[in-house]
Amino acid sequence: MKINSKVKWSDFKIMVDAQTSSDYVKFQVSPENFLKYAIDDLRTQDVKGRINCLTNCKRAIDCQIDWIISYLGFDYLDFSENRYPNLNIYMNKVKEEGFSSDMPFKIKFIQTMGIAPMFLVSNIRKVRNKLEHEYKIPDIAECQEALELADLFINSTQNKMWDKKWTDFYIQSNSSTNLDIAISYKTFDTDTPYIEVRNRSNNKTENYTKFYPKQKEYLELLYIAIKHEFNMLPKFFGKDWYVNTKLYNFFKEWYSDYRFLVF
């Protein structure tokens, strides 16, 4: 896409305006609830308790995945290639080495967006497969490993959503003090999730563009915010060249220079 802006893409800066999050969870049973049930199950140490422990670990992970999908503005009950065709195209574009044929669509999304590390995603799949395709009684050590894995997954991904994902920031030229582009992420606690791009023109009026989950622009901006791939911004706005960006964070009071090659 192209938005008419005065941003000097060869030398621009990004400034965090606000970092918003929400602990609102729609589900009557949360990932943390399932994790607690799993801990209670393991205390019995009998066969039934170990099987229930592993089952609830899987439920905790699945529930957390659905929570992430919902938090990012998608319908977790119908999170499919048919509902979001651009998502499948985008994931295959980003993930150059491809996915294994048996990887579920939701886990492909988690992996593509960098929400969980590769080793964690791989181990999560092992837990799921042990229950879905193997009929073996888990031992205590396997249950303990599943508990630790589920706990790590829940905490690390919530931290990514609440603390690491950028939600409101400005883009402007280093040589100008005027605001040029503002991007706001309204993906949670709303019936109609969207990402808004506000551009101030020369006459100081603002033009608004909203992107919704089915659009590829929404996915691109989501990827940038989660992974902090700000070198992708010039290309998103229709510009391709070598850029020197300065990244400001008003709240954490840190400053860094980045040089990126934008393709």
Side-chain angles (χ1 to χ4, degrees):
M1 73 165 287
K2 291 187 178 181
I3 293 180
N4 186 23
S5 171
K6 302 299 289 184
V7 168
K8 185 180 179 182
W9 291 108
S10 59
D11 190 25
F12 68 93
K13 59 189 175 185
I14 302 168
M15 298 177 293
V16 177
D17 176 44
Q19 193 70 22
T20 57
S21 62
S22 172
D23 60 359
Y24 174 72
V25 178
K26 297 177 181 178
F27 312 138
Q28 292 184 359
V29 184
S30 71
E32 292 85 356
N33 291 145
F34 283 119
L35 191 60
K36 183 181 182 301
Y37 302 153
I39 293 171
D40 292 341
D41 291 328
L42 187 57
R43 288 198 178 103
T44 67
Q45 298 195 5
D46 59 14
V47 172
K48 181 179 178 181
R50 280 178 276 160
I51 292 173
N52 287 340
C53 173
L54 211 59
T55 300
N56 279 317
C57 284
K58 177 186 178 295
R59 287 171 177 164
I61 291 167
D62 288 347
C63 187
Q64 180 68 10
I65 289 173
D66 285 343
W67 177 86
I68 292 166
I69 289 168
S70 180
Y71 192 84
L72 293 177
F74 301 96
D75 181 1
Y76 77 94
L77 292 173
D78 188 18
F79 192 72
S80 64
E81 297 180 38
N82 291 332
R83 177 73 181 274
Y84 303 104
N86 277 315
L87 182 54
N88 193 45
I89 294 169
Y90 188 72
M91 289 194 300
N92 287 320
K93 176 183 176 183
V94 172
K95 196 67 178 166
E96 295 180 356
E97 65 270 30
F99 300 99
S100 62
S101 59
D102 63 338
M103 183 176 288
F105 191 71
K106 291 180 179 180
I107 293 183
K108 285 183 184 179
F109 173 72
I110 296 295
Q111 185 172 321
T112 301
M113 291 293 173
I115 296 170
M118 280 284 294
F119 84 92
L120 197 53
V121 172
S122 176
N123 285 323
I124 285 168
R125 293 181 64 212
K126 288 179 183 177
V127 171
R128 292 167 58 94
N129 289 338
K130 184 173 288 292
L131 277 169
E132 294 173 357
H133 307 298
E134 300 177 22
Y135 301 99
K136 297 180 180 179
I137 299 171
D139 58 32
I140 299 294
E142 288 175 318
C143 290
Q144 189 61 47
E145 182 182 359
L147 277 170
E148 293 174 359
L149 176 65
D151 184 57
L152 176 61
F153 180 73
I154 291 168
N155 285 295
S156 64
T157 54
Q158 284 192 179
N159 179 60
K160 179 79 77 170
M161 294 296 97
W162 290 347
D163 298 327
K164 303 298 183 183
K165 172 179 168 287
W166 284 27
T167 55
D168 297 89
F169 58 91
Y170 301 139
I171 309 167
Q172 62 186 92
S173 303
N174 278 310
S175 57
S176 172
T177 58
N178 294 325
L179 167 66
D180 287 296
I181 296 175
I183 303 178
S184 297
Y185 292 73
K186 311 296 182 184
T187 66
F188 51 81
D189 293 357
T190 175
D191 291 333
T192 308
Y194 63 90
I195 298 174
E196 182 179 79
V197 176
R198 301 191 306 277
N199 175 50
R200 186 168 67 176
S201 60
N202 290 333
N203 60 7
K204 297 186 179 182
T205 60
E206 288 191 343
N207 299 313
Y208 297 81
T209 304
K210 290 184 178 180
F211 300 106
Y212 299 93
K214 288 186 177 182
Q215 296 177 270
K216 65 181 181 64
E217 291 87 357
Y218 183 97
L219 304 172
E220 291 171 1
L221 288 173
L222 201 60
Y223 183 86
I224 289 169
I226 294 172
K227 297 202 69 173
H228 298 179
E229 293 284 357
F230 301 109
N231 58 314
M232 296 172 64
L233 284 168
K235 190 169 185 178
F236 176 84
F237 287 102
K239 302 293 182 180
D240 293 325
W241 51 56
Y242 188 72
V243 299
N244 175 32
T245 69
K246 291 184 178 179
L247 197 62
Y248 291 83
N249 189 318
F250 288 151
F251 304 105
K252 297 179 183 176
E253 297 182 353
W254 56 266
Y255 172 87
S256 301
D257 281 324
Y258 289 85
R259 298 188 71 84
F260 297 111
L261 181 61
V262 178
F263 297 97

